[in-house]
Amino acid sequence: MKRTATLLIAFLLLLPRCFAQDTPDFLQIAGKVIDGATGKPLHYASVGLAGTHISNVSNAEGVFTLKVDSRTAPSALVTVSHLGYATVTFRLSDFQGTDAEHPLKITLSPVSLNLDPAMIRAQDPEDLLLSALYRIKQNYPTKHVGMTAFYRELIKKGNTKYLAMNEAILDIDKAPYGSFQVDRAGIYKGRGSLNYDATDTLFIKYQGGVVSIFEIDQAKYPFALSEINDIRRIYDLQAEPSAFVGERMYYVVSFNQKASVEDIYMRGKVYIDSESLAIGRVEMWMNVEGRDDALGLFVLKRPQNTRFEVKNAYYIVNYKPSEGKWYYDYAKMEIKFETRRKRSLFRNHYTVMSEIAVTDHKDEPPVIDRDARVRFRDQMTERVSAFIDDNFWENYNVIEPDADIEAIIRKIVRQLKKHKLE
């Protein structure tokens, strides 16, 4: 976990491919999820086709698309949910004629907390968290699970300039929870682009993004960088007001490292399902602010004449229940840092971000060849093809790009097509 978001220039030798899959006809629907009280878009809203494992999430502008088999009945149900809001259900036919440019407007209402106090048991935050961690083998799959996921990583300079952008469909062999086996992934197909020019004084490459995004699975790897027996020593825990997703209630426990603990740990919140005591969501920040020793956790190699400072490190992981078990569903990590060359008054700010959305899962995991695996030393830029095909993703579900990312993608495609014609 502490090697998360490592940046390093490296070299790769091969472009692995996983299984090709048949591409059936599909129907794509689209929606935009907004807060009914404020009118603001809702990021990370979960959308799924009822009775299947097909799902996706909304982007920062609340927009999502979902691709389903064209033979799916118009009466099939599509559910949309978000933490703190009532879940809504639509028929597939309600989305007729929608696309990412013309999505169906979906309004979610905040869930009222007017519950009978007798229904809410006083819970000790330490007992809650430890109970959730000790119940992992009961609540999460203890056998290999096959997953299909969409993965995106970005390197951004300042607020507007994207230096690198890579996207891929991954085949995943998710290892059993409670075991020491590691998750494995291979690239089925992917695309990417670099956007450096003569004005950029620092060339950054992102190493190990796919592996790192799995390592923030807090139900599988050490919770908040600590083993269970060390939680009491490292963290102060506090009970927070309960939260809801539809009718499902979550206990909320906040955590922050004790003032007496010198090493860098985390702060954040963990959401624990009130019925199963499964960890349903974790939001956390690494306590890197003002720490000169934080750099070594992220940067393996850097120019000697440049000073680096880690400004912020944010992580989120979400799980969803299905048939009595909870599954890794969505994760995001975002690292921000500042650079300044020696004897220079100017500073540059960079953001490294990666996110993954599991769009389908099945009992049988894919067979990922040893040479095809994505490893920590790998860089996605060297493993994917260039942006050029408008229909690149075929029938696979992807996280819709935000407007600024979409503009960059369109520009990249235009430039590549123009270059190809020349």
Side-chain angles (χ1 to χ4, degrees):
M1 176 64 185
K2 286 197 175 183
R3 66 185 183 185
T4 299
T6 298
L7 312 175
L8 177 68
I9 296 176
F11 301 93
L12 303 178
L13 301 178
L14 51 85
L15 173 66
R17 302 286 291 189
C18 295
F19 310 105
Q21 302 182 20
D22 294 334
T23 306
D25 292 334
F26 64 90
L27 169 69
Q28 177 173 287
I29 63 174
K32 181 172 183 177
V33 189
I34 63 173
D35 183 317
T38 66
K40 295 182 178 180
L42 290 175
H43 194 184
Y44 313 131
S46 178
V47 55
L49 182 65
T52 76
H53 296 144
I54 298 172
S55 62
N56 208 345
V57 298
S58 62
N59 65 11
E61 293 158 349
V63 176
F64 68 84
T65 58
L66 190 70
K67 296 174 183 176
V68 302
D69 192 307
S70 60
R71 296 167 293 185
T72 305
S75 59
L77 300 180
V78 177
T79 60
V80 181
S81 60
H82 193 285
L83 184 68
Y85 296 83
T87 299
V88 296
T89 302
F90 295 86
R91 295 186 184 277
L92 192 62
S93 57
D94 294 332
F95 292 89
Q96 184 174 359
T98 61
D99 57 31
E101 299 292 329
H102 306 90
L104 177 69
K105 182 179 177 180
I106 298 173
T107 302
L108 298 188
S109 300
V111 175
S112 172
L113 297 181
N114 295 325
L115 298 177
D116 182 351
M119 297 175 59
I120 305 175
R121 295 175 299 166
Q123 294 288 338
D124 177 81
E126 184 176 292
D127 289 344
L128 272 175
L129 180 56
L130 293 179
S131 295
L133 294 174
Y134 282 122
R135 290 174 64 90
I136 283 175
K137 287 186 178 181
Q138 294 175 246
N139 287 321
Y140 302 85
T142 53
K143 62 179 182 179
H144 289 265
V145 174
M147 293 181 168
T148 301
F150 175 74
Y151 172 80
R152 175 186 286 135
E153 63 182 34
L154 307 168
I155 301 174
K156 186 165 68 171
K157 181 179 180 181
N159 293 323
T160 58
K161 185 174 182 180
Y162 288 93
L163 302 178
M165 181 184 306
N166 301 297
E167 302 175 326
I169 299 296
L170 302 178
D171 288 324
I172 300 169
D173 177 358
K174 197 76 170 69
Y177 284 78
S179 76
F180 291 103
Q181 300 179 56
V182 297
D183 302 325
R184 303 171 187 267
I187 301 171
Y188 168 63
K189 65 186 311 183
R191 62 182 187 175
S193 177
L194 295 175
N195 186 35
Y196 290 88
D197 56 42
T199 64
D200 294 310
T201 58
L202 187 65
F203 189 79
I204 301 170
K205 283 194 174 182
Y206 182 19
Q207 174 181 302
V210 172
V211 173
S212 295
I213 205 75
F214 290 136
E215 291 183 346
I216 64 173
D217 183 345
Q218 297 298 285
K220 180 168 180 56
Y221 296 93
F223 181 83
L225 304 180
S226 64
E227 299 294 341
I228 293 179
N229 293 335
D230 289 328
I231 287 178
R232 292 185 179 91
R233 177 182 63 84
I234 295 172
Y235 286 107
D236 288 321
L237 305 174
Q238 183 174 333
E240 303 289 343
S242 299
F244 292 80
V245 174
E247 300 299 317
R248 187 180 291 274
M249 187 177 81
Y250 291 85
Y251 299 120
V252 183
V253 175
S254 62
F255 56 93
N256 198 355
Q257 70 180 77
K258 296 178 182 291
S260 59
V261 175
E262 295 183 358
D263 289 340
I264 296 176
Y265 285 94
M266 297 285 191
R267 66 184 185 274
K269 293 182 178 181
V270 54
Y271 296 78
I272 300 171
D273 178 55
S274 61
E275 295 184 8
S276 65
L277 294 186
I279 296 174
R281 180 185 179 95
V282 181
E283 302 169 355
M284 59 188 180
W285 292 258
M286 190 178 287
N287 291 319
V288 297
E289 293 83 359
R291 297 287 299 253
D292 292 337
D293 53 344
L295 183 64
L297 302 177
F298 301 96
V299 180
L300 292 181
K301 186 176 182 181
R302 62 185 176 91
Q304 293 298 316
N305 65 342
T306 302
R307 182 182 182 277
F308 283 66
E309 181 181 352
V310 183
K311 305 297 289 186
N312 185 268
Y314 170 70
Y315 309 86
I316 182 172
V317 58
N318 198 73
Y319 305 87
K320 67 178 179 182
S322 177
E323 299 174 349
K325 294 292 184 180
W326 290 70
Y327 293 84
Y328 180 80
D329 179 49
Y330 174 82
K332 178 180 180 179
M333 47 192 284
E334 184 177 86
I335 316 300
K336 295 183 178 182
F337 61 98
E338 180 183 88
T339 68
R340 181 169 63 87
R341 301 185 70 181
K342 289 184 178 179
R343 293 182 293 277
S344 173
L345 297 177
F346 300 100
R347 302 172 186 268
N348 289 311
H349 294 86
Y350 296 88
T351 300
V352 177
M353 187 278 286
S354 60
E355 63 180 340
I356 189 171
V358 175
T359 57
D360 199 1
H361 74 264
K362 46 191 173 292
D363 292 336
E364 291 299 323
V367 179
I368 301 174
D369 186 78
R370 182 179 179 86
D371 292 332
R373 284 177 54 191
V374 181
R375 303 175 186 276
F376 181 73
R377 66 172 180 267
D378 295 345
Q379 297 171 36
M380 185 66 69
T381 298
E382 305 294 338
R383 302 283 293 264
V384 297
S385 60
F387 284 76
I388 194 166
D389 185 355
D390 292 328
N391 299 311
F392 184 80
W393 297 124
E394 304 172 300
N395 65 315
Y396 289 92
N397 282 298
V398 303
I399 304 172
E400 283 298 309
D402 304 338
D404 56 341
I405 299 177
E406 178 65 30
I408 292 294
I409 291 174
R410 289 175 179 173
K411 181 180 179 181
I412 292 170
V413 171
R414 286 197 304 270
Q415 290 174 337
L416 290 173
K417 287 183 175 180
K418 180 180 179 181
H419 179 72
K420 188 175 181 180
L421 291 175
E422 292 173 351

